[in-house]
Amino acid sequence: MGNRKTQSKGERQLRWEAEVVEYVNTIYRMTKVHGNARANTAPANLRSNIPIIGPVFEPPGYLHLQKRNNSPSIEPGSTYLLAITIVHPFFYPGLGSCPGCGSNNTNWDGWTPTGPREVHGVCREERALGYQLRCKDCKGVNGKDYCFATTSAEFWKNHEHWELPRKFPLADIFSPLTHQKFQGGIPYFFSRSAASRELFNLIIELRPALTSAGISEHICRMFQQNLNTCTILI
């Protein structure tokens, strides 16, 4: 947790993210094929009474509290919880190839130990948490990486930006706090920062016509406009 100075250490945020991790662990465990299973073994089906949520997890808003309790305890701190995108093989099963050598002789090996990454968004900051992929062919080769996190720039270095999975096919995610739709998809991860798809697409659209300062000012105005709209709707 202490490897990044900007990493959130708020108890509410960490508790929210821990609940998301527990949910993903549960549905992944119930549907994955055991490592000792025979070849071509079909994965188990998820029970119909278990909802499939994600990969973008938006914190519960005031509407959730109102509908579940006639006298809800409204705490302003819940407004500051950040959405988190889970880059996990449950949601993106096609990520099993080694980004270094392209081999499929790999296995998934737990969550990224450094914790979630900060993701810059258009109207608010976000978070992203990845899973680790280990390559058996690269292991033991001198000076060669064999463990890759799905939220690292190294994992995506051989992918063009248009090749990243764009959207999980189930549904859009609506934020009860900001009254916006999140289209999911994997953020763009760089060595020192990460950007949501919405922010990246906005920069691509505005960059030929504006300077970096102009883009920053444009985003600030968009944020202020959306904030005023949210205040009116709430």
Side-chain angles (χ1 to χ4, degrees):
M1 287 297 301
N3 65 311
R4 303 188 194 99
K5 295 181 180 180
T6 59
Q7 194 172 47
S8 175
K9 298 178 177 63
E11 181 180 352
R12 289 178 180 271
Q13 182 68 34
L14 297 178
R15 185 181 298 275
W16 153 246
E17 292 171 353
E19 293 173 351
V20 171
V21 167
E22 185 61 30
Y23 165 78
V24 177
N25 282 339
T26 300
I27 59 176
Y28 184 52
R29 182 175 61 250
M30 297 176 69
T31 56
K32 73 175 183 178
V33 178
H34 193 275
N36 296 327
R38 295 181 179 179
N40 301 322
T41 300
N45 294 324
L46 192 65
R47 296 199 301 266
S48 59
N49 62 340
I50 299 178
I52 299 179
I53 311 171
V56 179
F57 290 83
E58 181 70 13
Y62 296 148
L63 178 63
H64 295 76
L65 296 176
Q66 292 171 352
K67 295 301 182 181
R68 295 181 183 276
N69 193 326
N70 292 329
S71 301
S73 177
I74 305 298
E75 298 181 5
S78 61
T79 306
Y80 299 98
L81 295 180
L82 304 181
I84 184 169
T85 298
I86 302 297
V87 190
H88 189 279
F90 178 87
F91 302 109
Y92 304 102
L95 302 182
S97 299
C98 174
C101 66
S103 170
N104 290 320
N105 188 21
T106 59
N107 65 284
W108 294 103
D109 188 33
W111 297 95
T112 306
T114 53
R117 288 195 62 177
E118 308 292 337
V119 178
H120 299 300
V122 175
C123 295
R124 60 184 298 186
E125 296 296 272
E126 304 173 20
R127 307 257 281 174
L129 181 62
Y131 219 59
Q132 292 185 117
L133 181 72
R134 292 182 180 270
C135 178
K136 299 178 183 178
D137 291 342
C138 292
K139 186 176 182 179
V141 179
N142 293 333
K144 196 170 185 179
D145 293 330
Y146 67 93
C147 183
F148 305 89
T150 57
T151 50
S152 68
E154 188 70 16
F155 190 92
W156 301 103
K157 67 178 182 179
N158 295 325
H159 293 75
E160 299 291 346
H161 66 86
W162 59 80
E163 295 177 327
L164 272 67
R166 285 186 169 273
K167 180 180 175 183
F168 193 58
L170 291 181
D172 291 338
I173 300 94
F174 181 76
S175 167
L177 300 181
T178 61
H179 303 276
Q180 293 180 340
K181 269 189 176 182
F182 292 82
Q183 292 188 345
I186 295 177
Y188 294 95
F189 297 106
F190 309 101
S191 58
R192 303 183 66 177
S193 63
S196 68
R197 305 192 71 89
E198 291 75 19
L199 176 59
F200 185 86
N201 292 337
L202 180 63
I203 293 174
I204 292 297
E205 181 179 353
L206 298 178
R207 187 62 184 92
L210 296 176
T211 62
S212 298
I215 294 176
S216 177
E217 182 177 357
H218 184 85
I219 292 175
C220 289
R221 290 180 179 178
M222 287 182 57
F223 175 77
Q224 186 62 45
Q225 181 180 3
N226 287 332
L227 183 62
N228 293 337
T229 302
C230 292
T231 302
I232 294 175
L233 291 175
I234 293 175

